[in-house]
């Protein structure tokens, strides 16, 4: 299989398994990631998802150009890459649960887009980031639209227009990633963050993610109305009562997602 899927308690790990191709994303691979992200979102026993990859050379070098962007005959259908670019489940944009990108080595092009679709990005010190699509007369797409959420205009334009790579320290400085860890420690640290998230109320976590995602697209008064509606729902939940009781009793709450 081009993608592995494991569960560790309430945490699911999606791992791209094409190390011989620098974990490049062809049609079957992106479709399988798409399916597994849907599984993460739909399984009530999963509270956090981690996206990573096999080998030690690359998180993902992006689209497999030999299959995804090859010259096609007139009218010949392209593989399922458009769904990724359009940002369905394959883009992670509709996954309500927190997603963590566990990055090592090359994180380029569509691989960088996948990382940017996650909520937290942990990268090893040997990681490299880039948007080399322009070198092949291809658009970076989703990543070009999102880079300004993380860095300045001049930094984004340098990355997008030159196609040059930056290292993990600069990616951290520019706001592209969350933190840098030693080589080989990315998945361990990602699991630690996932477990920390799992200690919190799962519905409040998902609503917080939704409020951030939707709120940035709304006028302030509309975003506050969404917040008040979410708050009304939370106040009726067993987990909120458990959280209040645990706070009063000075203990860790036992959340169930109800």
């Amino acid at each position: 299989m081009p993608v592995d899927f494991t569960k560790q308690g309430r945490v699911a790990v999606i791992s791209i398994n094409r190390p011989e191709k620098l974990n490049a994303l062809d049609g079957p691979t992106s479709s399988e990631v798409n399916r597994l992200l849907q599984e993460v979102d739909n399984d009530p026993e999963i509270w956090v998802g981690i996206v990573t990859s096999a080998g030690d050379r690359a998180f993902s070098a992006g689209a497999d150009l030999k299959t995804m962007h090859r010259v096609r005959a007139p009218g010949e259908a392209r593989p399922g890459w458009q769904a990724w670019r359009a940002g369905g489940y394959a883009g992670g944009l509709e996954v309500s649960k927190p997603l963590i990108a566990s990055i090592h080595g090359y994180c380029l092009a569509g691989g960088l887009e996948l990382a940017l679709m996650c909520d937290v990005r942990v990268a090893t010190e040997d990681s490299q980031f880039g948007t080399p699509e322009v070198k092949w007369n291809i658009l970076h797409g989703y990543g070009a639209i999102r880079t300004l959420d993380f860095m300045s205009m001049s930094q984004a334009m340098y990355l997008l227009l030159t196609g040059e790579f930056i290292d993990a320290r600069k990616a951290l400085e520019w706001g592209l990633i969350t933190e840098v860890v030693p080589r080989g420690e990315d998945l361990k640290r990602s699991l630690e963050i996932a477990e920390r998230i799992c200690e919190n109320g799962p519905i409040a976590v998902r609503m917080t993610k939704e409020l951030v995602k939707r709120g940035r697209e709304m006028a302030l008064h509309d975003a506050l109305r969404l917040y008040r509606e979410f708050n009304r729902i939370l106040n009726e939940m067993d987990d909120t009562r458990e959280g209040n009781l645990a706070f009063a009793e000075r203990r860790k709450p036992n959340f169930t997602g109800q």
Side-chain angles (χ1 to χ4, degrees), residues 5 43 50 60 100-101 112 128 136 176 231 237:
F5 185 71
D43 188 340
I50 295 175
S60 174
I100 302 171
L112 177 56
Q128 295 190 60
W136 320 118
L176 202 59
N231 215 34
M237 299 193 67

Side-chain angles (χ1 to χ4, degrees), residues 156-175:
M157 295 304 271
Y158 173 85
L159 202 65
L160 292 164
L161 300 182
T162 67
E164 297 293 327
F165 301 168
I166 61 173
D167 62 22
R169 292 296 172 186
K170 188 170 289 294
L172 180 65
E173 177 187 340
W174 286 7

Side-chain angles (χ1 to χ4, degrees), residues 187-200:
L187 183 55
K188 176 184 176 183
R189 178 58 180 147
S190 296
L191 286 166
E192 290 174 352
I193 295 172
E195 292 297 340
R196 180 64 190 86
I197 293 172
C198 286
E199 293 177 5
N200 301 324

Side-chain angles (χ1 to χ4, degrees), residues 117-161:
M117 291 163 190
C118 296
D119 305 298
V120 177
R121 288 167 292 283
V122 176
T124 58
E125 54 198 3
D126 63 330
S127 299
Q128 295 190 60
F129 302 83
T131 61
E133 285 93 333
V134 289
K135 294 181 178 181
W136 320 118
N137 203 43
I138 299 170
L139 293 178
H140 187 55
Y142 172 83
I145 297 167
R146 288 297 311 279
T147 48
L148 286 179
D149 292 340
F150 307 104
M151 61 183 72
S152 71
M153 173 70 79
S154 61
Q155 291 165 340
M157 295 304 271
Y158 173 85
L159 202 65
L160 292 164
L161 300 182

Side-chain angles (χ1 to χ4, degrees), residues 20-247:
E20 74 286 354
K21 299 288 187 180
L22 296 181
N23 294 309
L25 301 160
D26 60 3
T29 304
S30 58
S31 294
E32 183 64 2
V33 171
N34 177 36
R35 187 188 70 79
L36 291 172
L37 284 171
Q38 291 183 58
E39 184 168 336
V40 167
D41 207 33
N42 294 332
D43 188 340
E45 298 301 315
I46 298 173
W47 290 7
V48 180
I50 295 175
V51 181
T52 189
S53 55
D56 58 4
R57 296 180 60 200
F59 171 73
S60 174
D64 188 335
L65 297 184
K66 290 183 178 180
T67 61
M68 303 298 271
H69 289 292
R70 67 176 174 82
V71 176
R72 301 179 189 280
E76 181 182 359
R78 294 171 59 84
W81 188 247
Q82 292 96 325
W84 186 287
R85 297 285 184 171
Y89 273 104
L93 299 182
E94 299 304 324
V95 177
S96 62
K97 297 171 184 177
L99 296 176
I100 302 171
S102 174
I103 302 165
H104 51 270
Y106 293 113
C107 182
L108 310 175
L112 177 56
E113 289 181 317
L114 176 59
L116 292 179
M117 291 163 190
C118 296
D119 305 298
V120 177
R121 288 167 292 283
V122 176
T124 58
E125 54 198 3
D126 63 330
S127 299
Q128 295 190 60
F129 302 83
T131 61
E133 285 93 333
V134 289
K135 294 181 178 181
W136 320 118
N137 203 43
I138 299 170
L139 293 178
H140 187 55
Y142 172 83
I145 297 167
R146 288 297 311 279
T147 48
L148 286 179
D149 292 340
F150 307 104
M151 61 183 72
S152 71
M153 173 70 79
S154 61
Q155 291 165 340
M157 295 304 271
Y158 173 85
L159 202 65
L160 292 164
L161 300 182
T162 67
E164 297 293 327
F165 301 168
I166 61 173
D167 62 22
R169 292 296 172 186
K170 188 170 289 294
L172 180 65
E173 177 187 340
W174 286 7
L176 202 59
I177 59 177
T178 309
E179 65 179 87
V180 179
V181 297
R183 182 182 174 89
E185 296 291 313
D186 53 305
L187 183 55
K188 176 184 176 183
R189 178 58 180 147
S190 296
L191 286 166
E192 290 174 352
I193 295 172
E195 292 297 340
R196 180 64 190 86
I197 293 172
C198 286
E199 293 177 5
N200 301 324
I203 305 303
V205 165
R206 293 170 68 178
M207 285 184 172
T208 297
K209 175 174 176 175
E210 187 76 4
L211 192 59
V212 170
K213 297 285 188 182
R214 305 304 172 192
R216 60 193 293 273
E217 302 169 354
M218 294 178 174
L220 178 59
H221 66 277
D222 289 328
L224 289 173
R225 288 179 63 187
L226 180 63
Y227 158 72
R228 287 193 293 270
E229 183 61 20
F230 282 173
N231 215 34
R232 184 190 66 77
I233 295 170
L234 280 177
N235 285 337
E236 300 298 320
M237 299 193 67
D238 292 341
D239 274 356
T240 305
R241 288 186 280 274
E242 166 62 11
N244 290 334
L245 185 61
F247 178 83

